Amino acid sequence: DRSPSRGLGDVYKRQVENFLCTCMLVCTGMFASCSNTSKEEPISSVVERGLDRAEHQSLLMAKKLEPMEGKLPKTIKNDSLETSDYSWWCSGFYPGVLWYLYENNPTSELKKYAEDFTGRIEKAKNIKYSHDLGFMINCSYGNGYRLTQNETYKDVMITGANSLITRYSDKTGLIRSWDFNADIWQFPVIIDNMMNLEFLMRATDLTGDPKYKQIAISHADKTLKNHFRDDYSCYHVVSYDTITGEPHKKQTHQGYTDESAWARGQAWALYGYTMMYRETKKPEYLDQATNIAKFLMNHPAMPSDKIPYWDFDAPNIPNEPRDASSAAVMASALIELSLLNPGEFGDQCLKYAEDQIRSLTSSEYLAAEGENCDFILKHSTGHKPGNSEVDVPLSYADYYYVEALLRLKNLIK
Ligand code: GLY
C-alpha cells in the first residue's frame, strides 16, 4: 500500500537537493569530489518548464485563432497552421489543453479562451456518423464541467453521449467506429475507440443511468477478447460480422501492415485499459494494461529516448518518423498505471514515463517559444500510409503531454 504522494515526494525532494548540490559544486569547481550527486534536472523542474512552455504556446495560439470564428488548431501543413472546424475528430483537444492549463494556473485569460474554444465545438454533440465523441466532447466539455460545474456543459455531454451510443450494437456488443469502407468492413471497431469509453462512464455519473457504463464495459470486454495478439500487441481495426457478431477481419488502417504494432494504437490500448480499470476495478483490465505496458517498455524497437517510431515494425527503423503523440499518451497512461499497480512494476512505469517526459521536454520535441505554429510538441505522425500528417505537431500529442505533466505534478506535490 504505497502512499504515492508522500513516498514520491521524498524521492523528488532528494532529486532537487542532488541537482542543487551538483550546481553548487560545479560552480565551485569541486564536482569530482562530490558523491551522490546527479546532473539530471529534477523532474519537478522539467514539469514546470513543460507547463510554462505549454501555456506560452497555447496563449499565442488562442490569440491567433480568436478572430477566426469556429476554427480549432489541427496541425502544420505546407509550413502553415492547418485548422479544422468542430467536425474533425481532434476538435476537442485544444480546448482540453486550455482547461488543463487553467487547472494548473487559474487565470481569467486562460478561462476565457477555454470557454471560447470549447463553445466552438458544441455542434459535435449531435454527430452520429463517428465514434469520436469521447475525444471531442469529453476532453473539452468534460474537463470544463469538471472544473466549473457549468450546467450547460453537462447538457452538451449528455446529448453527446446519447449520440455516441446510437452506434452501439447488441449483436456485436460494441460501438461501431467508422462508416467508410463499408464494402470491406461490416462493422469496424478500431482500438482508438477504447478512449471514448471514459466519456460514457462520465455520462452514467451525470445521469445516474447505468446504460452508458454497461455499453462501455461490453465494448472493453469484446475488444479485450478480439483485438489482441498473444504478445499483447493489438490490431488497429477488427471488423465484426453483423450476422454472427464475431470478427471477420483483423487489419490495419494507419499502421505499417495488418500484423504490425502501430505505435499510437498500442498507446490507446494501454491508456484505455488503465482508465477502464480505474473506472470499474475489473482485475482483467489491470492485467491487460500491465501486459501492454510490458510489451511496450520492453520492445526492442523502442529508441533510447523512448519516443516510438510511428510503427514498431516500420521497415526502415531507425530511419522512420517518430510519433511523439504515442509517447505522450503512453506516458500519461503509465503514470496512472504506476498508482493502480504499485510496487516494483509501478515504479518501473513511473520511471519510464518520467524518461518520456524528459525527452518530450527537450528541445528535440518541445517547441521553442513562438515556433512550431504555436503547437507545443513537434514530431508526431498521424497517418503515414496515407502520407498525411507525417512528422508534424498534432493537437492530441499536446493534450496528452499536458495531461501527463499535470499527473506528474500532482504526484510530486
Ligand atoms: N484516432 C485516430 C488516430 O489515432 O490517428
Side-chain angles (χ1 to χ4, degrees), residues 89-90 131-132 135 178 190 192-193 236 254 262 264-265 268 325 381-383 389 396:
W89 74 274
C90 305
H131 68 130
D132 285 318
F135 284 127
W178 292 330
I190 61 172
D192 325 29
N193 205 334
H236 184 193
Q254 283 155 259
W262 173 51
R264 196 164 48 259
W268 292 143
S325 78
T381 296
H383 188 353
E389 301 179 337
Y396 42 99

Side-chain angles (χ1 to χ4, degrees), residues 233-246:
S233 69
C234 66
Y235 291 92
H236 184 193
V237 188
V238 175
S239 180
Y240 291 77
D241 181 309
T242 51
I243 309 285
T244 65
E246 293 301 316

Side-chain angles (χ1 to χ4, degrees), residues 183-216:
D183 50 332
I184 304 171
W185 300 320
Q186 292 184 31
F187 189 102
V189 176
I190 61 172
I191 190 64
D192 325 29
N193 205 334
M194 284 298 300
M195 300 296 286
N196 293 313
L197 305 183
E198 190 168 7
F199 182 39
L200 297 181
M201 305 306 280
R202 294 292 75 74
T204 284
D205 296 344
L206 294 176
T207 59
D209 187 334
K211 72 178 174 213
Y212 307 97
K213 178 175 176 176
Q214 284 161 358
I215 287 173

